[in-house]
Amino acid sequence: MRQQKGKSTKGNDLSRLGEFGVIELFRKSAGKVRPWVESGIGDDCAVLRISKKMRLLVTTDMLLDRVHFLREKMVPKQLGYKSMAANISDIAAMGGEPRAAFLAVGLSPEIDKKTVLGLRDGLMDCAREYGVDLLGGDTVASKKGLVLCLTVLGVAPANQVVYRHGAKPGDLVMLGGVVGNSAAGFYVLMNRHRLGDRGSSRLLGSHCTPRPQVALGRLLARQRWAHAMIDVSDGLLQDLNHICESSGVGAKIDADVLPVSKEARKLAHDEGRDVRDWALSGGEDYVLLFSVSGGKEAQVQKACSDRLGLEVRCIGSITKERRIMVRRDGKWSRVAPLGYDAFRMGEAL
Amino acid sequence: MRQQKGKSTKGNDLSRLGEFGVIELFRKSAGKVRPWVESGIGDDCAVLRISKKMRLLVTTDMLLDRVHFLREKMVPKQLGYKSMAANISDIAAMGGEPRAAFLAVGLSPEIDKKTVLGLRDGLMDCAREYGVDLLGGDTVASKKGLVLCLTVLGVAPANQVVYRHGAKPGDLVMLGGVVGNSAAGFYVLMNRHRLGDRGSSRLLGSHCTPRPQVALGRLLARQRWAHAMIDVSDGLLQDLNHICESSGVGAKIDADVLPVSKEARKLAHDEGRDVRDWALSGGEDYVLLFSVSGGKEAQVQKACSDRLGLEVRCIGSITKERRIMVRRDGKWSRVAPLGYDAFRMGEAL
């Protein structure tokens, strides 16, 4: 969740390392883990054995004022909702059911009670909608602005956890819904003075109160349809790259058939933008991106439509060659996985 | 973990509410929880049923630069160690065994790789010492300074979880170790230019690399000796008050017999301070404070000494009258539970 292009920090240690380099520093040091750990650093959630048949899923997100959101652009309730939704989406991406949330919040003196109540209501609205209990946390004073850290726990049957690493050459790459709406909504937020709200309520909704696809994740996990899965948070290309790197494969996708809303398409057209940029690199759509066996497409689409009223779309396939190819205006080209890196924000969006 | 008296924020919404008022806003809204929740907001950890016989313990702490610590006073490694220790101590306070940690960290551009490595090494040293695996987290860019949020999971047998709410009138109040060392160490840190390090390595150690009492917590829980338990983080009086409020009881303690180190006593004497202030309200000692049946004192002391080489001390008793009385220089007086409140920092220490 971000609403601002930061200044480029090129040249300093952290931007040279990048977000994933910093994570690697921790991962390397973490070493061998104990037997109750099924999966640690490196997927949407950690996976722990809590009984023979059940697994515990754990995910944590930190959100900072002026980095991940601008308080003047989103009301506190939206901010609360979106923070909870982003974490629940990580549980969905593993095929789990979210259960419990823990909130650590840093509040500076200029933040009033109304803001805290709005934040709380947004968090709780989303939690209730998805059957999540808020069970604890921490409340601290910050020097400046708002700091949020959410941890969400979920559960999944032992044989139904879906990782990033299961994609196989020949698999189809599928998307649980439209992409680019959140980036378009962000564009509306940043240009509201000029654009007003015309025709943009769906886009703003996608950006401010996204709906994680828990039911879809469960269905795909229960039926063992998804070989690999992730949620689109950093950006479609980058998230697809996570799947490919974890699985040791590549992918080719067709940008010309990406599911995009007509609202986003119209806005992009009116503003002289290419809607495919929002769709490929915007991120924060919180739809599921997954791979299924070639030939399962129709069965998966029918089940999602019949049971969830959801249109899932095939956008490409998994390849043996370890690279990501994108078709645009009929031409294939190899792409760098553009998307969000916390320490290289200047390059994103 | 704090190293600075903040400006008093008296008068604004948050300081009027106080830390526990803000928590109450969330607790009220959390409502009825699902059956797998044994205990939510309001103790050192949340307690979840993960199987018939086992409980999952979850705790979260947020630590902010210039609020909870001063980077120029503690090296990154100490900071990392202390952050992990504070969370592990919450698991210890419930009688549990810590198992897994999740770290969300916000880093600003001026923070270099060396600092990140130091932080990591401190976190991992403490984690390894206590058998904890680092299993995930989040890495984000902050505008300014360092933001840490740690979540630690632990486990305990279902019938061995110790809450704050079990204290009974007639119980003895006991302490797992000396108090006041951390506050004295903080005093040394803040006056280092004048004091140097003379005679203070134990005090600095207590402040910078505290040792949570996991083995003591397990022993007291396994033997069902502790009726109520908490770790001394906010300050002895305030933490005792948490036990009393949760249990619907009061307490009387004797400040003249508090276990205090000779180093802290000497420093206080040299500096014209009263060491009992550090012991009663300083906090961050991370020793366990617990109540046991009257008459069990000798048995508990012998077991702790024999098995853990630990001197636990009786400092008072639980009373039916719901107030905290402290004896000082032979005189009893009723005290307000002075200690740490995140939004009323000017009043603390």
Side-chain angles (χ1 to χ4, degrees):
Chain A
M1 189 184 311
R2 65 196 173 279
Q3 295 206 1
Q4 200 179 36
K5 296 194 205 184
K7 269 176 281 177
S8 175
T9 50
K10 255 176 212 164
N12 77 23
D13 277 10
L14 293 183
S15 73
R16 263 200 306 275
L17 273 170
E19 179 180 356
F20 301 103
V22 173
I23 294 171
E24 199 49 38
L25 291 183
F26 281 91
R27 176 160 37 182
K28 268 196 307 209
S29 164
K32 214 177 128 42
V33 295
R34 281 156 193 79
W36 87 312
V37 180
E38 196 145 308
S39 171
I41 299 173
D43 216 306
D44 291 290
C45 299
V47 183
L48 303 174
R49 297 193 184 104
I50 50 175
S51 70
K52 217 169 153 183
K53 293 189 173 167
M54 289 302 277
R55 297 294 175 265
L56 181 73
L57 309 173
V58 187
T59 179
T60 286
D61 262 344
M62 180 175 278
L63 300 155
L64 304 177
D65 214 353
R66 310 211 67 78
V67 176
H68 300 86
F69 53 81
L70 300 171
R71 262 190 296 140
E72 64 276 21
K73 300 281 180 189
M74 270 168 85
V75 301
K77 200 168 166 178
Q78 293 170 329
L79 226 154
Y81 192 98
K82 185 167 181 173
S83 308
M84 185 64 80
N87 274 274
I88 289 175
S89 185
D90 281 328
I91 303 285
M94 307 288 293
E97 259 177 29
R99 288 286 180 86
F102 299 83
L103 169 71
V105 57
L107 302 165
S108 58
E110 87 278 5
I111 295 175
D112 57 11
K113 186 175 168 184
K114 208 178 130 201
T115 301
V116 177
L117 288 175
L119 194 67
R120 178 199 71 176
D121 290 344
L123 282 160
M124 297 306 300
D125 281 355
C126 185
R128 260 187 288 267
E129 211 172 299
Y130 287 91
V132 170
D133 291 317
L134 180 69
L135 296 183
D138 194 14
T139 316
V140 306
S142 83
K143 287 276 165 199
K144 198 161 188 305
L146 183 62
V147 185
L148 286 177
C149 187
L150 258 174
T151 302
V152 171
L153 308 187
V155 289
N159 55 0
Q160 294 177 26
V161 179
V162 187
Y163 295 90
R164 296 178 178 180
H165 57 61
K168 298 181 187 71
D171 278 3
L172 299 175
V173 176
M174 302 191 84
L175 258 182
V178 299
V179 279
N181 268 11
S182 178
F186 176 59
Y187 187 91
V188 173
L189 272 184
M190 297 310 283
N191 296 283
R192 220 166 189 169
H193 54 285
R194 192 164 54 75
L195 295 171
D197 284 346
R198 57 185 153 91
S200 55
S201 69
R202 182 175 174 194
L203 302 179
L204 287 170
S206 295
H207 185 76
C208 301
T209 54
R211 298 290 193 278
Q213 301 191 299
V214 173
L216 174 60
R218 286 295 307 129
L219 175 63
L220 295 170
R222 204 168 46 234
Q223 301 289 345
R224 318 283 203 287
W225 281 330
H227 291 167
M229 189 151 64
I230 196 169
D231 65 324
V232 177
S233 53
D234 291 341
L236 174 55
L237 284 182
Q238 181 155 318
D239 292 315
L240 179 60
N241 192 55
H242 291 320
I243 284 186
C244 290
E245 290 210 330
S246 297
S247 303
V249 297
K252 48 184 190 179
I253 63 170
D254 189 344
D256 299 331
V257 303
L258 290 178
V260 169
S261 74
K262 59 178 188 300
E263 291 90 342
R265 197 179 298 277
K266 180 171 183 320
L267 178 69
H269 179 263
D270 291 352
E271 295 288 308
R273 304 262 162 172
D274 189 334
V275 73
R276 293 171 298 188
D277 290 335
W278 289 338
L280 289 169
S281 308
E284 300 199 345
D285 289 303
Y286 300 111
V287 295
L288 295 181
L289 174 69
F290 52 96
S291 89
V292 303
S293 284
K296 288 262 186 207
E297 185 182 0
Q299 187 183 2
V300 172
Q301 281 177 324
K302 186 173 184 319
C304 292
S305 169
D306 289 354
R307 298 190 215 173
L308 308 173
L310 211 60
E311 191 184 348
V312 303
R313 198 82 75 85
C314 179
I315 60 165
S317 58
I318 298 293
T319 60
K320 219 167 103 180
E321 301 72 40
R322 292 182 169 213
R323 59 187 186 196
I324 294 181
M325 303 292 293
V326 176
R327 197 173 88 122
R328 227 167 144 142
D329 300 324
K331 275 201 290 270
W332 288 99
S333 57
R334 182 174 181 171
V335 296
L338 270 183
Y340 186 68
D341 185 304
F343 300 118
R344 293 169 180 156
M345 291 187 299
E347 301 163 23
L349 275 183
Chain B
M1 189 183 313
R2 64 195 173 281
Q3 295 207 2
Q4 200 180 39
K5 297 192 203 186
K7 269 176 280 178
S8 174
T9 50
K10 253 176 214 163
N12 78 22
D13 277 10
L14 293 184
S15 72
R16 264 199 307 277
L17 275 170
E19 179 179 355
F20 300 102
V22 173
I23 294 171
E24 199 49 38
L25 291 181
F26 281 91
R27 174 153 48 176
K28 269 196 308 207
S29 164
K32 215 177 126 42
V33 294
R34 281 157 192 82
W36 87 313
V37 181
E38 196 144 309
S39 172
I41 300 173
D43 216 306
D44 290 290
C45 298
V47 184
L48 303 175
R49 296 194 186 103
I50 49 173
S51 70
K52 218 170 154 184
K53 292 189 171 166
M54 288 303 275
R55 298 294 175 262
L56 181 73
L57 309 173
V58 187
T59 180
T60 285
D61 262 343
M62 181 176 278
L63 301 156
L64 305 178
D65 213 353
R66 312 211 66 78
V67 175
H68 300 87
F69 53 83
L70 300 172
R71 260 189 298 141
E72 63 275 22
K73 299 283 180 187
M74 269 166 86
V75 300
K77 199 168 168 179
Q78 292 169 330
L79 226 154
Y81 192 98
K82 185 167 182 174
S83 307
M84 185 63 80
N87 274 274
I88 289 176
S89 186
D90 281 327
I91 303 285
M94 308 288 293
E97 259 177 29
R99 287 285 181 85
F102 299 84
L103 168 72
V105 57
L107 303 165
S108 58
E110 88 276 6
I111 295 175
D112 57 11
K113 186 174 169 185
K114 205 178 133 200
T115 301
V116 176
L117 287 175
L119 194 68
R120 177 199 73 175
D121 290 343
L123 282 160
M124 296 307 300
D125 280 355
C126 186
R128 260 187 288 266
E129 211 172 299
Y130 286 91
V132 170
D133 290 317
L134 180 68
L135 296 183
D138 194 15
T139 315
V140 306
S142 83
K143 286 276 163 198
K144 200 165 188 305
L146 183 62
V147 185
L148 286 178
C149 186
L150 259 174
T151 301
V152 171
L153 307 187
V155 290
N159 56 359
Q160 294 177 24
V161 179
V162 187
Y163 294 90
R164 296 178 178 179
H165 58 59
K168 298 182 186 72
D171 278 2
L172 299 175
V173 176
M174 302 191 83
L175 259 182
V178 300
V179 279
N181 267 12
S182 178
F186 177 58
Y187 187 91
V188 173
L189 272 186
M190 298 309 284
N191 296 283
R192 218 165 190 172
H193 53 288
R194 191 165 52 76
L195 294 170
D197 284 346
R198 57 184 152 92
S200 55
S201 69
R202 183 175 173 193
L203 303 179
L204 287 171
S206 296
H207 186 76
C208 300
T209 53
R211 297 291 193 275
Q213 300 191 300
V214 173
L216 175 60
R218 286 294 308 130
L219 175 64
L220 295 170
R222 203 168 46 233
Q223 301 290 345
R224 320 283 204 285
W225 281 330
H227 292 166
M229 189 149 66
I230 196 169
D231 65 323
V232 177
S233 53
D234 291 341
L236 174 56
L237 285 181
Q238 181 155 316
D239 292 315
L240 180 60
N241 191 55
H242 291 321
I243 285 186
C244 289
E245 290 209 331
S246 297
S247 303
V249 297
K252 47 184 190 180
I253 64 170
D254 190 343
D256 299 330
V257 304
L258 290 179
V260 169
S261 73
K262 59 178 190 299
E263 291 90 343
R265 197 180 299 277
K266 179 170 183 320
L267 178 69
H269 179 265
D270 291 351
E271 295 288 307
R273 304 262 162 171
D274 189 334
V275 73
R276 294 171 298 189
D277 291 335
W278 288 340
L280 289 169
S281 308
E284 300 199 343
D285 288 303
Y286 300 111
V287 295
L288 295 181
L289 173 68
F290 53 98
S291 89
V292 303
S293 284
K296 289 262 187 207
E297 186 182 357
Q299 187 183 1
V300 172
Q301 281 176 325
K302 187 174 182 318
C304 291
S305 170
D306 289 353
R307 298 191 215 173
L308 308 174
L310 211 59
E311 190 184 350
V312 302
R313 197 81 75 84
C314 179
I315 61 165
S317 58
I318 298 293
T319 61
K320 219 167 103 180
E321 301 74 40
R322 293 182 169 214
R323 60 186 186 196
I324 293 180
M325 303 291 293
V326 175
R327 198 172 89 121
R328 224 166 147 141
D329 299 323
K331 275 201 292 269
W332 287 99
S333 58
R334 181 173 181 171
V335 295
L338 270 184
Y340 186 68
D341 186 304
F343 300 118
R344 293 170 180 153
M345 290 187 298
E347 300 163 26
L349 275 184

